[in-house]
Structure formats: C-alpha cells, structure tokens
Amino acid sequence: SSEISSSDLLAHLSEPGSLTSLTPPDAKLASLASLSSLQLALLISAARLTIIHDTDIVSFALCYAEYVSLASKAKIAAVARGAWEGLVRKELVLPEGGKGNVNVRVDVRLEEIGEVDGVELGPVMGRWCREI
C-alpha cells in the first residue's frame, strides 16, 4: 500500500466539494421530529421487533402487539408508582436514610395484613400472604 503524505491529504481536503456536508446519513431520520407520539411509539415497536426477531420484515399485528405490551407496562408502572407513593404517605412503608431514598422499611407484618377487619384480599393476594 502506498502512504499518503499529510500535505497530499490536506490538499485533497481543501478542494471545494471534497468535504461532505454534515447531514444525517438518511434524510428519513429528519422526519422523526414530525411524527405523532403514536407514530413514534409504533416505529420504536417495529424497530425493536427487527432486533428481537432478527429480521427486517415485521407486520402491523406484531408491531401493534409489541406497542400494547410496552404501553401497558409503562401504564402499569405509572399506576404502581402512584400506589407506592400512597403507601409512603400513609406511612405503611417508611423511607430509610432520609427523604428521597429509594429504600423503605415495611411498617406492617405480612400476617397483620390479612387479619384486619374489612380487608378483602381475594384468593390471589391471600395466597401471596400464606405461601412464603
């Protein structure tokens, strides 16, 4: 292989038109900013599926199922976070190490939860309390 001198490289780079503009490699990427939240979510879901299934081809049905899964997980997480914050406000779980700490101390025992009058656990949560 022949070596290129630094002066030859500088001469090449200084020629008009030799430098490429700093635009995205694919002009389609510029249109991402104009997408609705739903379109962006579906596109992310489709792109995730290409990785999960190691393919370039996905269907709307698969994409929609992935979107529903991701969206429901996000919604469940938001609902659970709100419920957790309610437990903190009621001081059933107590932050350890000061405000803002993610660790808590549970201020009730498992056996106490099912013994309180008016608390209806149902079969599933009742089993959660017993099977440990």
Side-chain angles (χ1 to χ4, degrees), residues 95-108:
E96 283 292 310
K99 188 174 176 130
N101 193 317
V102 295
N103 297 319
V104 298
R105 180 172 40 86
V106 181
D107 205 32
V108 296

PDB file of all heavy atoms in Angstrom, residues 95-108:
ATOM      1  N   PRO A  95     -39.462   5.582  54.372  1.00  0.00           N
ATOM      2  CA  PRO A  95     -38.150   5.778  53.744  1.00  0.00           C
ATOM      3  C   PRO A  95     -37.031   5.648  54.769  1.00  0.00           C
ATOM      4  O   PRO A  95     -37.133   6.154  55.883  1.00  0.00           O
ATOM      5  CB  PRO A  95     -38.223   7.204  53.193  1.00  0.00           C
ATOM      6  CG  PRO A  95     -39.681   7.494  53.065  1.00  0.00           C
ATOM      7  CD  PRO A  95     -40.351   6.730  54.169  1.00  0.00           C
ATOM      8  N   GLU A  96     -36.004   4.948  54.389  1.00  0.00           N
ATOM      9  CA  GLU A  96     -34.832   4.771  55.239  1.00  0.00           C
ATOM     10  C   GLU A  96     -33.719   5.670  54.737  1.00  0.00           C
ATOM     11  O   GLU A  96     -33.461   5.721  53.542  1.00  0.00           O
ATOM     12  CB  GLU A  96     -34.353   3.318  55.227  1.00  0.00           C
ATOM     13  CG  GLU A  96     -35.180   2.398  56.073  1.00  0.00           C
ATOM     14  CD  GLU A  96     -35.050   2.677  57.548  1.00  0.00           C
ATOM     15  OE1 GLU A  96     -33.920   2.771  58.053  1.00  0.00           O
ATOM     16  OE2 GLU A  96     -36.104   2.816  58.208  1.00  0.00           O
ATOM     17  N   GLY A  97     -33.057   6.380  55.625  1.00  0.00           N
ATOM     18  CA  GLY A  97     -31.909   7.190  55.229  1.00  0.00           C
ATOM     19  C   GLY A  97     -32.272   8.557  54.709  1.00  0.00           C
ATOM     20  O   GLY A  97     -31.512   9.152  53.977  1.00  0.00           O
ATOM     21  N   GLY A  98     -33.442   9.050  55.031  1.00  0.00           N
ATOM     22  CA  GLY A  98     -33.791  10.408  54.641  1.00  0.00           C
ATOM     23  C   GLY A  98     -34.713  10.464  53.443  1.00  0.00           C
ATOM     24  O   GLY A  98     -34.943   9.479  52.753  1.00  0.00           O
ATOM     25  N   LYS A  99     -35.206  11.670  53.208  1.00  0.00           N
ATOM     26  CA  LYS A  99     -36.150  11.901  52.118  1.00  0.00           C
ATOM     27  C   LYS A  99     -35.487  11.640  50.768  1.00  0.00           C
ATOM     28  O   LYS A  99     -34.339  11.986  50.554  1.00  0.00           O
ATOM     29  CB  LYS A  99     -36.647  13.343  52.187  1.00  0.00           C
ATOM     30  CG  LYS A  99     -37.761  13.636  51.227  1.00  0.00           C
ATOM     31  CD  LYS A  99     -38.308  15.024  51.438  1.00  0.00           C
ATOM     32  CE  LYS A  99     -39.348  15.290  50.382  1.00  0.00           C
ATOM     33  NZ  LYS A  99     -40.562  15.788  50.907  1.00  0.00           N
ATOM     34  N   GLY A 100     -36.219  11.050  49.869  1.00  0.00           N
ATOM     35  CA  GLY A 100     -35.712  10.788  48.532  1.00  0.00           C
ATOM     36  C   GLY A 100     -34.997   9.448  48.398  1.00  0.00           C
ATOM     37  O   GLY A 100     -34.637   9.043  47.310  1.00  0.00           O
ATOM     38  N   ASN A 101     -34.794   8.757  49.509  1.00  0.00           N
ATOM     39  CA  ASN A 101     -34.133   7.458  49.455  1.00  0.00           C
ATOM     40  C   ASN A 101     -35.089   6.436  48.852  1.00  0.00           C
ATOM     41  O   ASN A 101     -36.283   6.444  49.145  1.00  0.00           O
ATOM     42  CB  ASN A 101     -33.698   7.030  50.863  1.00  0.00           C
ATOM     43  CG  ASN A 101     -32.745   5.861  50.827  1.00  0.00           C
ATOM     44  OD1 ASN A 101     -32.942   4.921  50.072  1.00  0.00           O
ATOM     45  ND2 ASN A 101     -31.727   5.916  51.628  1.00  0.00           N
ATOM     46  N   VAL A 102     -34.590   5.547  48.016  1.00  0.00           N
ATOM     47  CA  VAL A 102     -35.438   4.555  47.355  1.00  0.00           C
ATOM     48  C   VAL A 102     -35.709   3.349  48.239  1.00  0.00           C
ATOM     49  O   VAL A 102     -36.604   2.568  47.943  1.00  0.00           O
ATOM     50  CB  VAL A 102     -34.829   4.090  46.006  1.00  0.00           C
ATOM     51  CG1 VAL A 102     -34.777   5.234  45.023  1.00  0.00           C
ATOM     52  CG2 VAL A 102     -33.461   3.477  46.208  1.00  0.00           C
ATOM     53  N   ASN A 103     -34.966   3.189  49.308  1.00  0.00           N
ATOM     54  CA  ASN A 103     -35.169   2.053  50.205  1.00  0.00           C
ATOM     55  C   ASN A 103     -36.167   2.417  51.291  1.00  0.00           C
ATOM     56  O   ASN A 103     -36.173   3.537  51.795  1.00  0.00           O
ATOM     57  CB  ASN A 103     -33.846   1.629  50.841  1.00  0.00           C
ATOM     58  CG  ASN A 103     -32.867   1.141  49.804  1.00  0.00           C
ATOM     59  OD1 ASN A 103     -33.226   0.435  48.877  1.00  0.00           O
ATOM     60  ND2 ASN A 103     -31.623   1.538  49.946  1.00  0.00           N
ATOM     61  N   VAL A 104     -37.024   1.452  51.633  1.00  0.00           N
ATOM     62  CA  VAL A 104     -38.027   1.689  52.661  1.00  0.00           C
ATOM     63  C   VAL A 104     -38.020   0.549  53.670  1.00  0.00           C
ATOM     64  O   VAL A 104     -37.535  -0.541  53.393  1.00  0.00           O
ATOM     65  CB  VAL A 104     -39.453   1.815  52.061  1.00  0.00           C
ATOM     66  CG1 VAL A 104     -39.558   2.989  51.111  1.00  0.00           C
ATOM     67  CG2 VAL A 104     -39.888   0.529  51.389  1.00  0.00           C
ATOM     68  N   ARG A 105     -38.581   0.845  54.825  1.00  0.00           N
ATOM     69  CA  ARG A 105     -38.814  -0.173  55.850  1.00  0.00           C
ATOM     70  C   ARG A 105     -40.320  -0.412  55.866  1.00  0.00           C
ATOM     71  O   ARG A 105     -41.106   0.530  55.967  1.00  0.00           O
ATOM     72  CB  ARG A 105     -38.326   0.312  57.210  1.00  0.00           C
ATOM     73  CG  ARG A 105     -38.532  -0.702  58.319  1.00  0.00           C
ATOM     74  CD  ARG A 105     -37.857  -0.288  59.629  1.00  0.00           C
ATOM     75  NE  ARG A 105     -37.963   1.122  59.958  1.00  0.00           N
ATOM     76  CZ  ARG A 105     -38.986   1.679  60.604  1.00  0.00           C
ATOM     77  NH1 ARG A 105     -40.018   0.960  60.983  1.00  0.00           N
ATOM     78  NH2 ARG A 105     -38.984   2.975  60.874  1.00  0.00           N
ATOM     79  N   VAL A 106     -40.736  -1.664  55.753  1.00  0.00           N
ATOM     80  CA  VAL A 106     -42.153  -2.010  55.780  1.00  0.00           C
ATOM     81  C   VAL A 106     -42.600  -1.977  57.237  1.00  0.00           C
ATOM     82  O   VAL A 106     -42.019  -2.650  58.074  1.00  0.00           O
ATOM     83  CB  VAL A 106     -42.407  -3.397  55.150  1.00  0.00           C
ATOM     84  CG1 VAL A 106     -43.894  -3.729  55.165  1.00  0.00           C
ATOM     85  CG2 VAL A 106     -41.859  -3.442  53.736  1.00  0.00           C
ATOM     86  N   ASP A 107     -43.645  -1.185  57.523  1.00  0.00           N
ATOM     87  CA  ASP A 107     -44.052  -0.967  58.904  1.00  0.00           C
ATOM     88  C   ASP A 107     -45.229  -1.838  59.331  1.00  0.00           C
ATOM     89  O   ASP A 107     -45.865  -1.567  60.335  1.00  0.00           O
ATOM     90  CB  ASP A 107     -44.378   0.514  59.122  1.00  0.00           C
ATOM     91  CG  ASP A 107     -44.227   0.927  60.578  1.00  0.00           C
ATOM     92  OD1 ASP A 107     -43.365   0.352  61.276  1.00  0.00           O
ATOM     93  OD2 ASP A 107     -44.981   1.830  61.013  1.00  0.00           O
ATOM     94  N   VAL A 108     -45.551  -2.865  58.555  1.00  0.00           N
ATOM     95  CA  VAL A 108     -46.561  -3.858  58.937  1.00  0.00           C
ATOM     96  C   VAL A 108     -46.001  -5.236  58.654  1.00  0.00           C
ATOM     97  O   VAL A 108     -45.158  -5.415  57.777  1.00  0.00           O
ATOM     98  CB  VAL A 108     -47.896  -3.666  58.183  1.00  0.00           C
ATOM     99  CG1 VAL A 108     -48.541  -2.346  58.536  1.00  0.00           C
ATOM    100  CG2 VAL A 108     -47.712  -3.801  56.697  1.00  0.00           C
TER     101      VAL A 108
END
